[in-house]
Amino acid sequence: MYKKIGIINSGGDVQGLNAVIASAVIYGSKLDYKFIGFIKGWEGLLDMEYIELDSAAVRGISHVGGTILHSVNKGRFAGKAGVDGSMNKIPEEILELTIANLKKLEIEALIVIGGDGTLSAAIQLAERGIKIVAVPKTIDNDLSSTDRTFGFSTAVDIAVEALDRIHTTAVSHDRVMIVETMGRHVGWIALHAGLAGGADAILLPEFDFDYNELINFLKWRKNIGRNYSIIVVSEGAKAIGEAISSKDIGGPEVKLGGISEQIMNRLNMLAPGEFEIRNVVLGHIQRGGTPNAEDRILAKSYGAAAIDALHNEHYGNIIVLRDNKLIEVPIHEAIDKLKEVTQEALAFKTAKRLGIFLGTKIDSVSN
Ligand code: F6P
């Protein structure tokens, strides 16, 4: 008798989601599992909206961005809320409805692909006896228990391509260009893209920056004949003593963003006429389009590893990448702590050595 598995992806999409789904279904089908995929994550489970997934249904999707299952970032199952991302308790009636629907559909276990919000919800279901194997998903690469999540590498590639283009126009116009990346409360995308893309300053959520030091740095560059500067700023970065820039989009969720414009305005105010400045917000471009080769391989490997975990009846675990091996750890380990950029991070140390401004004078080495 086959086992029926439900697949859920929830939260912001990332490049590689389809590759996880395809890999799980193709490998799982060989082991005689049947699959259904819920549309729009938990919402599809609550509304009984789903599609059957077999090898034919997932043919040719691995290289395609987005997710064939669609996704939502909020809804009745929002696991995290607010600017600090604190854990939301899912209402009891919602959890009960979910469990009842799983029973009705005779689903024995779930593969849940998600970031910290989705995984917080998964934990609450696992606590009620639902068999779950989780796969981490975020372009931010902010989950502490895994070395890498798929989507991150592609997001960095996209940001680097943008920086290469920003560079030439910055040089032509002798401008300061401020490029804002995604990343929420961690700066991995900004750090990696900034280092690879030749940024002169990289501002990260982990290291509050000093406006005066930034202005001194930009002036210093001008004085030595470098008439343009590229600043990469992570959306969650903030100046010392100031709040994170965010927009109220209604509901419990707060959307980060706007820091590049804020910096542009402040530099114009603090150093009037000194620099010609433009800001660019890369936004969702970083999450769109095809996954790169590295992310496809990682995503396919995560999908197959999730099937192995199910097959071995290792429930309540999440697949994580450590030292180039996929292993299983309890789901809560993945979300207990954000994986932040530290001064020990290879890219941070390299940026520092190269004289890239990293927020304050202390972090940069004059050259
Ligand atoms: O967590 C992934 C992410 O892309 C963040 O980097 C960003 O802050 C957020 O999602 C954007 O969310 P939304 O797609 O809801 O605008």
Side-chain angles (χ1 to χ4, degrees):
M1 176 63 180
Y2 64 82
K3 277 190 179 171
K4 206 169 172 191
I5 308 298
I7 300 185
I8 288 209
N9 64 221
S10 191
D13 66 350
V14 310
Q15 303 93 338
L17 269 174
N18 281 330
V20 180
I21 296 166
S23 162
V25 170
I26 290 166
Y27 179 37
S29 301
K30 289 187 199 302
L31 299 174
D32 236 11
Y33 291 102
K34 300 273 180 235
F35 294 90
I36 67 170
F38 289 100
I39 303 300
K40 295 191 179 172
W42 302 110
E43 293 298 303
L45 179 43
L46 292 171
D47 296 338
M48 298 286 260
E49 214 191 320
Y50 57 86
I51 51 172
E52 289 190 9
L53 294 171
D54 57 14
S55 299
V58 299
R59 197 165 295 139
I61 65 165
S62 290
H63 64 286
V64 181
T67 163
I68 59 163
L69 296 178
H70 300 256
S71 193
V72 283
N73 237 357
K74 40 188 187 291
R76 289 164 283 178
F77 243 104
K80 291 260 170 173
V83 79
D84 63 342
S86 54
M87 180 132 153
N88 243 359
K89 276 261 163 263
I90 313 287
E92 205 53 46
E93 66 272 18
I94 297 292
L95 292 170
E96 274 166 22
L97 178 59
T98 309
I99 293 168
N101 285 352
L102 286 172
K103 267 205 190 112
K104 246 184 247 168
L105 292 168
E106 296 179 326
I107 288 179
E108 294 196 32
L110 285 177
I111 294 179
V112 176
I113 314 163
D116 55 359
T118 307
L119 297 176
S120 307
I123 288 175
Q124 294 176 55
L125 273 178
E127 280 167 358
R128 282 160 180 80
I130 300 302
K131 295 171 177 168
I132 291 179
V133 171
V135 171
K137 168 220 63 93
T138 163
I139 59 162
D140 304 333
N141 204 33
D142 60 352
L143 296 176
S144 59
S145 65
T146 189
D147 293 346
R148 195 55 70 89
T149 43
F150 53 90
F152 170 70
S153 171
T154 307
V156 169
D157 279 355
I158 292 167
V160 170
E161 201 211 316
L163 283 168
D164 289 346
R165 292 175 191 277
I166 294 287
H167 230 104
T168 59
T169 174
V171 172
S172 308
H173 289 271
D174 292 343
R175 278 177 175 157
V176 171
M177 300 294 292
I178 311 174
V179 180
E180 181 174 322
T181 68
M182 280 188 167
R184 277 203 311 175
H185 301 291
V186 302
W188 293 107
I189 296 177
L191 175 63
H192 282 227
L195 182 58
D200 305 298
I202 304 175
L203 307 177
L204 306 170
E206 292 86 348
F207 305 96
D208 290 357
F209 62 92
D210 182 312
Y211 271 114
N212 291 326
E213 295 298 346
L214 179 59
I215 289 168
N216 289 342
F217 175 76
L218 297 173
K219 280 185 180 166
W220 166 77
R221 278 184 55 83
K222 232 172 115 172
N223 288 340
I224 61 167
R226 295 180 200 164
N227 291 330
Y228 70 93
S229 288
I230 312 274
I231 302 173
V232 173
V233 61
S234 183
E235 62 183 358
K238 59 184 172 52
I240 294 168
E242 297 192 7
I244 294 176
S245 172
S246 64
K247 291 175 208 133
D248 189 350
I249 52 168
E253 207 195 333
V254 174
K255 186 162 169 36
L256 302 193
I259 183 68
S260 57
E261 191 178 345
Q262 210 178 83
I263 295 174
M264 175 172 70
N265 294 339
R266 194 71 69 84
L267 293 181
N268 281 332
M269 197 184 83
L270 295 173
E274 186 75 42
F275 312 107
E276 196 184 347
I277 312 172
R278 297 288 186 274
N279 78 307
V280 178
V281 180
L282 297 182
H284 291 82
I285 292 170
Q286 292 158 102
R287 282 206 336 233
T290 59
N292 68 15
E294 186 185 338
D295 282 337
R296 291 181 204 186
I297 293 165
L298 191 55
K300 287 183 181 190
S301 305
Y302 270 116
I307 295 298
D308 278 338
L310 282 177
H311 206 58
N312 293 322
E313 302 190 348
H314 293 171
Y315 305 120
N317 283 340
I318 183 163
I319 313 296
V320 295
L321 183 75
R322 296 223 186 125
D323 300 327
N324 221 24
K325 287 193 185 72
L326 288 175
I327 60 164
E328 297 164 30
V329 299
I331 299 176
H332 70 82
E333 272 191 32
I335 56 168
D336 281 351
K337 201 159 93 347
L338 276 186
K339 183 174 67 191
E340 296 182 322
V341 174
T342 66
Q343 301 220 25
E344 295 315 306
L346 179 63
F348 189 91
K349 284 207 276 196
T350 306
K352 193 168 165 179
R353 288 193 179 110
L354 296 180
I356 295 172
F357 181 85
L358 291 161
T360 65
K361 184 166 63 177
I362 308 142
D363 294 320
S364 55
V365 182
S366 60
N367 52 355

